[in-house]
Amino acid sequence: MSRRKGLSHEEKRTKMMELFYEKKDFFQLKELEKLGPKEKGVISQAVKDVVQSLVDDGMVDTEKIGTSVYFWAFPSKALSTRKRKMDELEARLEETNKRLMKSQTNLENAKVGREEGEDRQEILEQLAQLESTKEQLTTEIQKYHDCDPEVLKLLKDSVKVAHEAVNRWTDNIYAVKSWCNKKFFIEEATINKQFGIPEDLDYM
């Protein structure tokens, strides 16, 4: 014969709640660990975790009195909890319905002046055509961008700045080579080879 399938965690919770509702009494954990297997088929090793999960969810009450901890749950509280939950859900539903109605009203107001008419489609087609023409003209203008006098002037100015910078750095290189020659008696050819300086380096 196949072994009997054990209860799932949720089934154990349901069984323990049945125990509380049927007994309508206060229990210590040791008592629940005895009653759980005997009356509801919940193994004693699982009772503590199951009861604690019910306490965490507010379904079972607990209180420490002296050195003892007691647990209890009455059907009246469950009914009250369900009613409170239902009231909360109904309030949320009402609020959602109000927001939905407000959104529908705003949508209807937004449609005013935007009704589909005979000329609307024609205007939209003209707009699409104008946007297409604008894109073509922008592309055409870009072709002649390099011939723009302002662009050419900027290029000339950039070339001039670059030319001056090249000659300035060439001058700096000559000055450094001269200093090395006088300070350390290093020949120019050796410096050129060491630092990769072309032999024909000259001003532009």
Side-chain angles (χ1 to χ4, degrees):
M1 292 179 64
S2 60
R3 294 181 61 184
R4 183 173 177 273
K5 184 180 178 182
L7 298 173
S8 67
H9 181 68
E10 196 56 42
E11 288 172 334
K12 292 173 184 175
R13 283 164 53 94
T14 301
K15 292 291 185 182
M16 291 306 296
M17 288 306 298
E18 288 176 358
L19 178 64
F20 279 113
Y21 290 162
E22 290 168 3
K23 297 294 184 181
K24 299 178 184 178
D25 203 350
F26 299 87
F27 302 96
Q28 290 183 314
L29 183 59
K30 288 183 179 180
E31 295 174 310
L32 293 172
E33 288 174 339
K34 291 179 181 178
L35 290 171
K38 182 179 178 181
E39 301 200 14
K40 295 298 177 181
V42 179
I43 60 175
S44 59
Q45 294 90 333
V47 169
K48 181 178 180 180
D49 289 338
V50 172
V51 172
Q52 186 58 52
S53 73
L54 294 171
V55 170
D56 293 339
D57 291 344
M59 298 172 67
V60 171
D61 292 314
T62 182
E63 186 71 41
K64 184 175 182 180
I65 302 174
T67 58
S68 302
V69 179
Y70 291 89
F71 301 89
W72 70 93
F74 299 122
S76 57
K77 182 186 176 182
L79 180 62
S80 176
T81 301
R82 284 196 293 270
K83 184 178 184 305
R84 185 174 65 253
K85 187 67 175 177
M86 185 175 293
D87 290 342
E88 291 175 359
L89 292 173
E90 287 178 350
R92 288 173 59 185
L93 177 61
E94 184 178 354
E95 180 63 25
T96 301
N97 286 334
K98 287 180 181 178
R99 290 169 59 188
L100 176 61
M101 290 178 63
K102 184 177 180 180
S103 297
Q104 290 175 336
T105 301
N106 291 339
L107 179 61
E108 292 301 322
N109 292 337
K111 288 181 179 180
V112 176
R114 300 183 184 182
E115 298 83 357
E116 292 287 344
E118 295 180 0
D119 58 342
R120 176 177 171 80
Q121 188 60 36
E122 183 179 346
I123 291 172
L124 290 175
E125 290 175 359
Q126 289 178 1
L127 177 61
Q129 186 175 356
L130 289 172
E131 288 179 343
S132 177
T133 302
K134 177 187 174 184
E135 185 175 346
Q136 292 175 2
L137 291 174
T138 301
T139 303
E140 192 70 20
I141 290 171
Q142 192 64 34
K143 292 180 182 179
Y144 302 101
H145 180 263
D146 293 340
C147 298
D148 189 332
E150 291 186 6
V151 174
L152 291 175
K153 184 176 182 304
L154 288 173
L155 287 173
K156 288 179 180 179
D157 292 343
S158 298
V159 169
K160 182 179 179 182
V161 171
H163 183 271
E164 292 174 351
V166 168
N167 285 334
R168 184 169 60 253
W169 279 106
T170 301
D171 195 39
N172 290 340
I173 292 172
Y174 279 128
V176 171
K177 288 201 297 182
S178 176
W179 181 82
C180 289
N181 179 263
K182 292 178 181 179
K183 184 75 174 177
F184 303 105
F185 306 104
I186 303 174
E187 294 183 1
E188 184 177 357
T190 303
I191 296 174
N192 289 343
K193 183 178 180 181
Q194 186 70 27
F195 295 98
I197 301 172
E199 294 292 339
D200 58 348
L201 177 69
D202 201 353
Y203 295 99
M204 293 186 66

